[in-house]
Amino acid sequence: VLRKAYGLAERRFEAANREDTRFNVGSLGKLVTKLAIAQLAEAGKLGLDDPLGRWLPDWPKESAGKITVDMLCGHRAGTTDFFNERYRRMDRSSLRHNRDYVALFRDDTLWFEPGTSERYSNGGYVLLGEVVAKASGEDYYDYVRRHVYEPAGMKGTDAYAADAPTPNLAMGYYPEPDGSLRENVHSRPARGSAAGGGYSTVDDLLVLEQALRGGRLVGPAWSAWVLGGPRPGPAATESVMPDRYVLAGGAPGITARLDHVGPWTFVLLSNLDRRLLGHVEEDLHEWLRSARD
């Protein structure tokens, strides 16, 4: 219905955003990690009730047997976030692999007893990335490239390094108190993780969603679970595909959103953060809702 680019991808050289520009998608990348877990669970290579200690034997013993894969997927494990004081003070250019993030929160006290509450945790999805690597025998980035991006037809998606000269990659911008814009290069790690921070395009995110809803990357019941539906039963054959969901990611200079309502899907990617987008997201979401109703 509409596919259009606005604004500048790189302000130093006045390079325009294109319809195929690669944007940082922030935490929307968690969708890919959860999908990888679903693929491995469907193949019998791991179980959602597996304790974390089965896959990460070096995780602190106090919680290694209490935290399960399912708890990590649902932010119910109590694991903390890596966006902490250590992250703010460190040389973030050293964060070049998913495993590099683990040390930032490994020895933190859990937020709560595993399974007793829910709190959003980037750290939990970093751990899921390591589970994917252990259960598959492949590097996390290689696994999602081979089993998600390539079969879905996603040609502009990957966890590109910040210092790699990747073509058609948008620079992120955030506002200073005086209203001026700053590049977000110093707030980002050198490479994204299983919790997010990779790059994609609007077309790639749409084909990913279509592949999921079509059961082409994992079976229907597992596809529904990835998109927020119920956990598959023992037979994993019944599918209750969610009719509405919002997947999002954001940080300074990063906005990503995928809305699905009825037959409609809306994908928004921006190299400006939400403070500069006004009510664009909310207005479009309301339009989708009213169009469906």
Side-chain angles (χ1 to χ4, degrees):
V1 177
L2 175 67
R3 178 176 177 269
K4 191 170 178 61
Y6 307 84
L8 297 176
E10 170 56 76
R11 292 173 180 263
R12 292 175 187 250
F13 306 105
E14 297 186 343
N17 279 318
R18 304 184 339 201
E19 294 171 359
D20 62 347
T21 293
R22 297 175 170 104
F23 292 88
N24 193 309
V25 300
S27 287
L28 209 155
K30 289 182 175 65
L31 174 69
V32 172
T33 300
K34 190 176 181 182
L35 170 56
I37 290 291
Q39 289 178 331
L40 294 167
E42 185 179 54
K45 294 185 177 181
L46 62 78
L48 294 185
D49 293 323
D50 287 350
L52 180 60
R54 176 184 176 186
W55 300 108
L56 303 184
D58 293 335
W59 186 256
K61 291 182 172 56
E62 294 79 6
S63 59
K66 299 178 181 179
I67 295 172
T68 68
V69 172
D70 191 42
M71 290 177 189
L72 291 169
C73 290
H75 301 283
R76 295 180 292 105
T79 50
T80 62
D81 208 317
F82 60 75
F83 288 123
N84 51 27
E85 193 60 30
R86 296 187 194 93
Y87 178 87
R88 288 186 284 272
R89 291 182 177 181
M90 74 178 299
D91 173 12
R92 291 184 286 275
S93 67
S94 64
L95 294 172
R96 294 186 172 273
H97 195 281
N98 186 69
R99 58 177 170 266
D100 296 337
Y101 290 79
V102 177
L104 292 173
F105 63 95
R106 180 187 182 278
D107 297 321
D108 287 354
T109 301
L110 294 182
W111 278 330
F112 50 81
E113 185 70 11
T116 63
S117 187
E118 182 178 327
R119 183 173 174 180
Y120 191 86
S121 171
N122 287 295
Y125 267 72
V126 165
L127 296 178
L128 286 172
E130 292 306 288
V131 171
V132 168
K134 295 289 186 179
S136 68
E138 301 181 54
D139 178 84
Y140 169 79
Y141 302 104
D142 291 340
Y143 179 91
V144 295
R145 192 180 299 117
R146 294 168 182 164
H147 300 277
V148 178
Y149 304 153
E150 291 178 4
M154 302 168 70
K155 299 178 180 179
T157 300
D158 213 326
Y160 304 110
D163 53 1
T166 305
N168 199 19
L169 203 74
M171 170 61 71
Y173 297 92
Y174 66 92
E176 292 281 27
D178 64 1
S180 62
L181 293 180
R182 304 285 293 184
E183 295 178 349
N184 70 350
V185 63
H186 296 297
S187 66
R188 294 185 285 112
R191 193 182 190 190
S193 69
Y199 289 80
S200 192
T201 68
V202 290
D203 288 340
D204 278 7
L205 290 175
L206 181 60
V207 299
L208 173 61
E209 190 218 24
Q210 291 172 336
L212 262 173
R213 293 188 68 85
R216 298 197 300 274
L217 297 174
V218 71
W222 285 102
S223 294
W225 176 74
V226 172
L227 292 170
R231 173 173 164 167
T237 55
E238 295 184 6
S239 172
V240 183
M241 188 68 70
D243 188 51
R244 301 184 181 197
Y245 44 83
V246 177
L247 308 171
I254 299 168
T255 299
R257 181 161 175 152
L258 187 152
D259 277 37
H260 180 88
V261 181
W264 302 97
T265 298
F266 153 57
V267 181
L268 168 69
L269 298 178
S270 178
N271 56 332
L272 302 174
D273 58 63
R274 287 182 168 84
R275 291 172 288 179
L276 298 173
L277 290 182
H279 299 287
V280 171
E281 288 181 274
E282 292 76 12
D283 289 348
L284 285 168
H285 179 73
E286 179 62 22
W287 179 84
L288 285 172
R289 188 195 64 76
S290 61
R292 169 60 172 167
D293 294 343

